[in-house]
Amino acid sequence: DAKTTQPPSMDCAEGRAANLPCNHSTISGNEYVYWYRQIHSQGPQYIIHGLKNNETNEMASLIITEDRKSSTLILPHATLRDTAVYYCIVRRIAGGGADGLTFGKGTHLIIQP
Amino acid sequence: SQTIHQWPATLVQPVGSPLSLECTVEGTSNPNLYWYRQAAGRGLQLLFYSVGIGQISSEVPQNLSASRPQDRQFILSSKKLLLSDSGFYLCAWSASYGRASYEQYFGPGTRLTVT
């Protein structure tokens, strides 16, 4: 699976949009971009994933550049509960997704009151 | 709805003692199951995954082993714990087919301290 690069930490004011960047310049055509987050002392939580089109769900939006070499996760109205480590993962889906996830160090997002 | 359970939540064990961590999933059948470990200050590392009863794939060689005696039960074991086995152990599941197979769902984790 392709490697990803994320800033180690970011701050965002409560109520503002949090934009978390991720570089994945070696992504292959059959690899998806996934985002998970991990709140302190809990298991990771799936947020969103996409292939090449922008995606939106009740938690966040995912913007993938046209060349697919980078993406941005957007939390539209950040709250204090969004403070967590956010992981960008590039993953090839194979055999129904039986392969595991490769987590990097992620971005520690701190929402400031 | 589906639920994943792990126990115990915390565990303190001496070096050289055995280990058994259990994970069960409810509300789904034939899930893919995973064990991850997160050492202090480090990212999550995939240890084992299973696509069915008795089918275990190991990602990292170590003194840990995994077993899947039932469809929705996944067990992580060790015969003799090392200090380096300390960490946060997470079990996860995913559907084995369809769009839901794209997501993994994690349990609450077991925090293991080896002394």
Side-chain angles (χ1 to χ4, degrees), chain A residues 16-104:
Chain A
R16 304 295 294 270
N19 296 276
L20 291 93
C22 179
N23 286 322
H24 31 79
S25 59
T26 60
I27 192 170
S28 300
N30 62 349
E31 289 181 318
Y32 289 73
V33 180
Y34 279 77
W35 283 85
Y36 280 74
R37 73 179 183 183
Q38 186 176 21
I39 295 170
H40 182 61
S41 295
Q42 297 182 21
Q45 176 190 23
Y46 165 84
I47 301 174
I48 199 167
H49 77 278
L51 182 61
K52 54 183 178 181
N53 297 320
N54 297 338
E55 302 286 345
T56 296
N57 62 21
E58 64 278 5
M59 290 183 67
S61 295
L62 174 60
I63 308 299
I64 302 174
T65 58
E66 191 169 345
D67 62 8
R68 301 207 326 121
K69 292 185 177 182
S70 65
S71 60
T72 301
L73 179 74
I74 301 172
L75 307 179
H77 305 286
T79 70
L80 297 178
R81 288 174 296 180
D82 292 322
T83 293
V85 178
Y86 287 76
Y87 297 99
C88 171
I89 299 167
V90 172
R91 177 173 177 235
R92 175 182 55 85
I93 300 298
D99 50 325
L101 298 169
T102 301
F103 289 83

Side-chain angles (χ1 to χ4, degrees), chain A residues 32 34 36 38 41-44 46 49 87 91 93 96-101 103-104, chain B residues 32 34 36 38 44 46 49 51 88 90 94-96 99 101-104 106-107 111:
Chain A
Y32 289 73
Y34 279 77
Y36 280 74
Q38 186 176 21
S41 295
Q42 297 182 21
Y46 165 84
H49 77 278
Y87 297 99
R91 177 173 177 235
I93 300 298
D99 50 325
L101 298 169
F103 289 83
Chain B
N32 296 324
Y34 310 84
Y36 291 84
Q38 188 170 36
L44 280 86
L46 177 67
Y49 70 90
V51 299
F88 191 41
L90 289 153
S94 69
S96 55
R99 185 164 180 82
S101 68
Y102 286 56
E103 304 172 24
Q104 288 189 17
F106 286 79
R111 191 162 301 280

